[in-house]
Amino acid sequence: MTYDRFFSAALALLHEERRYRVFADLERTAGRFPHATWHSPDGPRSVVLWCSNDYLGMGQHPKVIKAMVDTAVRVGAGAGGTRNIAGTNHPLTQLEAELADLHGKEAALLFTSGYVSNQTSIATIAKLIPNCLILSDALNHNSMIEGVRRAGGERKIFRHNDMAHLEELLIAAGERPKLIACESLYSMDGDVAPLAKICDLADKYGAMTYVDEVHAVGMYGPRGGGIAERDGVMHRIDVLEGTLAKAFGCLGGYIAASAAVVDAVRSYAPGFIFTTALPPAVCASASAAIRHLKSSHWERDHHQNRAARVKAVLNTAGVPVIPNDTHIVPVMVGSPEKCKEASDLLLVEHGIYIQPINYPTVPRGTERLRITPTPCHSDALVDALAEALVDVWRQLGLPLRYRTLAAG
Ligand code: PLP
């Protein structure tokens, strides 16, 4: 039996649906982000990154790099095992204290990624509550969906950000325990959950709340605590989940919650128990990023300024930006072929890297370019991006959306 044919057939299907993914081989240069080298088939080329989730450029911040290097030199590279077997490295304990403080919670627990933190925490929390019904937003990230599935109990999906539907489901559930799981900022459309209303409903119907702040921590709120901090509802949410891999520029995921929740997840969650802890150098660098962003507003302010500028320039140029109030700049293409072609042309002809976003990350027919401005993108880079997009849109016969002055 030649097993490879199964895999070749699966790959052929992706090619047929025009959603086979190709990754660019990139090398960032610390201090020059968003500039990077693309190791193209024809050799190295200088390109500008416009789709990194290192939203604030903290991955190249001197304090973050120094903390990582100093710690690795001092204590070595790896963590040496799972925490259950090898104990805990001190920089990891310090990071958990930093995270608990960031979110105003009694405790925090670190995982090897945001993905793992959702997958294992949601499942563990729901399993520990007898007869728990999970109410999950329809657009929740795959890591949350996996957590909900692994919980194994009953679940209901409420229409995205639809509070009337959520309330309907809460009423229908009656007196049983309920866990509402949602994100604060949905990263493909850039829209925000009505967290205060979700907390009101949770209070009214006695539900527990779990909120993924992966695309908001570091970037929103006076200390970078996320949308919940910005909206003044952090203390009303039971479990806040986040990543260290986006605005904090490092790697890892976490939950912050009451001491009882954190201790229970620590004690029962397989995704925590059975895997090696994050390296101490990574923990130290994440702590440096969090600490910096608790007091520095420059990155957050400049980030919002850059996102607003990109949206304004692209809208003026007629590029079809999906409107939202956050830092994400989604540009609708609506076809997997054209999305890939647009991405290829931007890279090859303009030295601009924006990965195409296809199904299953977004629904079919809503394929898009997802642009993520950072504080490191200058006005000149923004103008060059707009010119490149207009050129590519014309080459591919995609519609530009010129607005009349009267229409604003
Ligand atoms: N939650 C959401 C909403 C995400 O978009 C992602 C990843 O992009 C994750 C969780 C996973 O986080 P991480 O990249 O740290 O694994």
Side-chain angles (χ1 to χ4, degrees):
M1 170 104 59
T2 51
Y3 288 98
D4 270 1
R5 70 196 161 90
F6 298 115
F7 306 107
S8 303
L11 291 170
L13 184 68
L14 293 181
H15 282 291
E16 207 175 289
E17 293 183 0
R18 303 283 182 271
R19 58 186 184 93
Y20 176 77
R21 292 173 190 217
V22 180
F23 302 143
D25 182 0
L26 301 165
E27 189 175 340
R28 285 168 48 164
T29 310
R32 292 199 62 236
F33 178 69
H35 296 275
T37 301
W38 171 37
H39 293 276
S40 82
D42 303 324
R45 269 189 65 183
S46 182
V47 295
V48 177
L49 307 182
W50 273 105
C51 58
S52 172
N53 277 349
D54 185 354
Y55 289 124
L56 301 178
M58 290 305 287
Q60 66 169 5
H61 195 287
K63 284 185 191 170
V64 176
I65 297 172
K66 184 172 183 327
M68 181 174 273
V69 172
D70 286 357
T71 308
V73 168
R74 212 177 63 245
V75 308
T82 72
R83 290 168 72 179
N84 284 277
I85 287 180
T88 296
N89 278 285
H90 189 55
L92 194 152
T93 314
Q94 291 172 310
L95 173 56
E96 287 180 339
E98 204 66 70
L99 289 164
D101 171 74
L102 177 67
H103 292 292
K105 299 291 178 198
E106 286 173 349
L109 189 69
L110 202 61
F111 303 86
T112 44
S113 72
Y115 192 99
V116 171
S117 60
N118 273 334
Q119 189 187 44
T120 204
S121 300
I122 294 175
T124 304
I125 290 167
K127 273 185 177 161
L128 290 174
I129 306 171
N131 193 31
C132 182
L133 170 70
I134 304 181
L135 298 153
S136 180
D137 187 284
L139 291 193
N140 276 345
H141 187 255
N142 177 270
S143 54
M144 301 184 78
I145 296 170
E146 282 299 314
V148 171
R149 284 196 184 129
R150 276 160 195 251
E154 199 184 345
R155 57 190 187 247
K156 299 264 185 232
I157 312 299
F158 60 94
R159 286 190 294 275
H160 177 56
N161 277 350
D162 184 334
M163 294 302 100
H165 192 210
L166 176 58
E167 184 160 22
E168 217 176 275
L169 297 176
L170 283 163
I171 292 169
E175 288 303 306
R176 68 190 287 192
K178 298 165 280 286
L179 174 68
I180 302 172
C182 67
E183 297 180 31
S184 64
L185 195 164
Y186 290 83
S187 77
M188 290 300 144
D189 292 327
D191 60 330
V192 169
L195 292 183
K197 288 187 185 143
I198 290 172
C199 291
D200 290 346
L201 289 176
D203 287 348
K204 189 168 173 190
Y205 296 101
M208 187 174 169
T209 45
Y210 181 108
V211 177
D212 173 318
E213 287 260 35
V214 158
H215 293 278
V217 284
M219 292 170 278
Y220 295 86
R223 296 203 312 154
I227 298 285
E229 188 193 25
R230 184 197 73 178
D231 292 357
V233 294
M234 211 158 58
H235 61 290
R236 299 181 66 194
I237 294 166
D238 295 298
V239 185
L240 288 157
E241 184 273 343
T243 185
L244 305 170
K246 301 189 195 291
F248 297 129
C250 301
L251 179 74
Y254 63 89
I255 57 164
S258 69
V261 168
V262 166
D263 205 16
V265 175
R266 183 185 74 85
S267 307
Y268 283 93
F272 171 81
I273 296 172
F274 297 105
T275 187
T276 295
L278 282 176
V282 172
C283 298
S285 63
S287 288
I290 296 164
R291 236 177 269 134
H292 176 81
L293 290 172
K294 277 179 182 172
S295 57
S296 171
H297 298 266
W298 184 87
E299 290 81 3
R300 275 189 287 281
D301 293 347
H302 215 56
H303 185 217
Q304 291 299 321
N305 166 293
R306 295 292 78 196
R309 168 111 196 154
V310 171
K311 287 176 187 174
V313 170
L314 295 192
N315 276 325
T316 304
V319 175
V321 175
I322 302 172
N324 65 50
D325 296 325
T326 64
H327 61 278
I328 309 279
V329 186
V331 173
M332 184 55 78
V333 180
S335 137
E337 292 93 345
K338 297 250 162 151
C339 204
K340 172 81 172 77
E341 281 175 60
S343 172
D344 288 347
L345 285 171
L346 284 168
L347 185 60
V348 173
E349 296 191 2
H350 297 276
I352 286 175
Y353 181 59
I354 309 174
Q355 179 81 14
I357 307 280
N358 289 336
Y359 175 83
T361 309
V362 293
R364 289 182 209 271
T366 71
E367 291 79 9
R368 65 195 67 181
L369 298 178
R370 176 180 177 272
I371 298 169
T372 51
T374 73
C376 312
H377 288 93
S378 64
D379 281 350
L381 292 180
V382 176
D383 292 342
L385 170 71
E387 275 174 33
L389 282 167
V390 169
D391 175 58
V392 166
W393 249 240
R394 290 210 170 106
Q395 286 194 53
L396 296 178
L398 287 165
L400 288 162
R401 197 172 55 185
Y402 293 111
R403 290 162 190 227
T404 62
L405 279 179

